[in-house]
Amino acid sequence: MDIRFLSTFIEVANTRHFGKAAENLFLTQSAVSARIKLLEEYFQTTLFIRHRNSIQLTPAGEKLLPFAHQLSDTLKEAKRELQLQSGEYIVCGATQLASELQLSSTLSGIHEHFPDWSVKAEILTLDNLSRQLHERVIDLAFSSEPLKSEEVISHQVSAEPLALYVVGRTSEEIDANDYVAIEWGGKVRDLICQQWPQLRDAKLRTNSLRLGLNAIEEDGGCAVFPVRFAQQLSHLSLRQVHALDDVQACVYLNRLKSVKRHALTTVVETLFPSHKTMAV
């Protein structure tokens, strides 16, 4: 039994017209008639009574119609499930800092554990990240703070110690003309201002870790970096001035509570097995 025969039967039953059914299915009228004839031969009964100006279902046709809908829907659902299994996809979004701290390793993990998946990644502002997550444009959202929404589950997936570093300076004195302010959040900003009030101003403010690094590579100066990140910069003469013990650079994974897609749960459990659930 070809599923297209049932689809054609349903369309003729809906339109009560072979010509309109053919138009809706992008077929010729003779092709529609041939399919209905084959279906009638299969069930060994007449499904339609053809009048000059109308087509009516026979009692047998009336009985077949709900089964045709059920079979058609079941086969379509089976096709969708098999397509998802053979060609899974995932869309990730991240704010700038979250992308630099976490997204690259997450994408590498997806490619390693799910090599057949199609992956898309975008860098977004926090507002756009939240909006696209709620609109189901993206599946997983990474941010430096949890998204505040009753519809969202947020997991803290990383927390990096921070410290103030200088490069190209031998003096202990730090002033605003040397300071590159990377936007780690209000807590870090307040702590910096308490410890070094002169740093309320900065020669550059940026939400990009890489851009802040490039600025002090070229001109020297000071900036707050994650300790592990700074330790990897052996080509620079970075000197730690002060460890910021009370604050960290955190990354949160956000996803919608209402999404029941098993594949997303599998990704989270595989890549972040010890995630910490946040109440939002």
Side-chain angles (χ1 to χ4, degrees):
M1 168 65 66
D2 192 324
I3 182 62
R4 292 173 295 180
F5 292 177
L6 291 175
S7 299
T8 302
F9 168 70
I10 293 171
E11 191 63 33
V12 175
N14 289 339
T15 61
R16 302 300 171 101
H17 195 281
F18 278 79
K20 290 180 180 178
E23 183 178 347
N24 292 343
L25 295 170
F26 302 100
L27 297 171
T28 63
Q29 187 167 333
S30 60
V32 170
S33 298
R35 288 184 179 183
I36 296 301
K37 182 178 180 181
L38 288 171
L39 201 60
E40 289 176 332
E41 290 177 356
Y42 179 85
F43 288 108
Q44 299 181 352
T45 188
T46 301
L47 300 174
F48 294 101
I49 299 173
R50 299 165 178 81
H51 298 294
R52 176 174 297 179
N53 296 320
S54 66
I55 297 175
Q56 301 295 324
L57 284 166
T58 65
E62 294 283 1
K63 288 184 178 180
L64 176 61
L65 188 58
F67 290 103
H69 278 294
Q70 183 178 358
L71 285 169
S72 179
D73 292 343
T74 299
L75 289 173
K76 287 178 182 177
E77 181 64 25
K79 183 179 180 180
R80 281 193 295 268
E81 289 295 323
L82 290 175
Q83 285 176 334
L84 285 175
Q85 182 177 350
S86 61
E88 191 58 82
Y89 66 93
I90 188 168
V91 181
C92 298
T95 56
Q96 182 67 46
L97 280 173
S99 73
E100 294 172 324
L101 292 173
Q102 184 65 49
L103 188 57
S104 293
S105 61
T106 297
L107 296 179
S108 296
I110 293 173
H111 290 309
E112 177 185 353
H113 294 283
F114 310 95
D116 296 328
W117 284 26
S118 174
V119 184
K120 181 180 179 181
E122 294 189 352
I123 310 303
L124 302 165
T125 65
L126 187 63
D127 287 344
N128 283 337
L129 187 78
S130 179
R131 178 177 58 79
Q132 291 197 24
L133 180 65
H134 283 85
E135 292 176 355
R136 302 172 191 269
V137 176
I138 58 177
D139 301 305
L140 301 177
F142 295 89
S143 59
S144 53
E145 56 186 271
L147 297 183
K148 292 177 170 46
S149 170
E150 294 182 355
E151 301 175 31
V152 172
I153 301 172
S154 294
H155 307 304
Q156 181 180 298
V157 294
S158 70
E160 298 282 346
L162 292 168
L164 180 65
Y165 291 87
V166 296
V167 63
R169 298 286 188 275
T170 58
S171 171
E172 292 294 328
E173 293 185 6
I174 297 173
D175 61 49
N177 292 328
D178 293 329
Y179 182 47
V180 175
I182 301 171
E183 298 294 345
W184 296 109
K187 288 185 179 180
V188 175
R189 187 165 53 250
D190 291 344
L191 183 60
I192 290 291
C193 290
Q194 289 173 9
Q195 296 272 356
W196 300 276
Q198 71 273 26
L199 298 186
R200 293 182 184 276
D201 297 319
K203 70 174 183 179
L204 172 67
R205 292 190 178 277
T206 178
N207 66 349
S208 170
L209 175 60
R210 294 293 175 183
L211 189 60
L213 176 62
N214 291 341
I216 68 167
E217 277 185 318
E218 292 183 5
D219 302 324
C222 60
V224 174
F225 292 123
V227 173
R228 188 173 61 172
F229 175 79
Q231 291 171 346
Q232 297 171 356
L233 304 175
S234 57
H235 64 290
L236 286 179
S237 299
L238 277 179
R239 182 165 55 88
Q240 186 182 119
V241 175
H242 186 79
L244 307 182
D245 296 326
D246 296 330
V247 291
Q248 293 179 313
C250 298
V251 175
Y252 297 88
L253 168 60
N254 309 276
R255 55 191 177 121
L256 290 179
K257 295 177 181 178
S258 58
V259 174
K260 304 301 182 183
R261 193 170 153 207
H262 179 69
L264 295 183
T265 302
T266 302
V267 170
V268 173
E269 292 177 349
T270 301
L271 301 184
F272 310 104
S274 59
H275 58 253
K276 178 182 177 182
T277 302
M278 299 294 297
V280 295

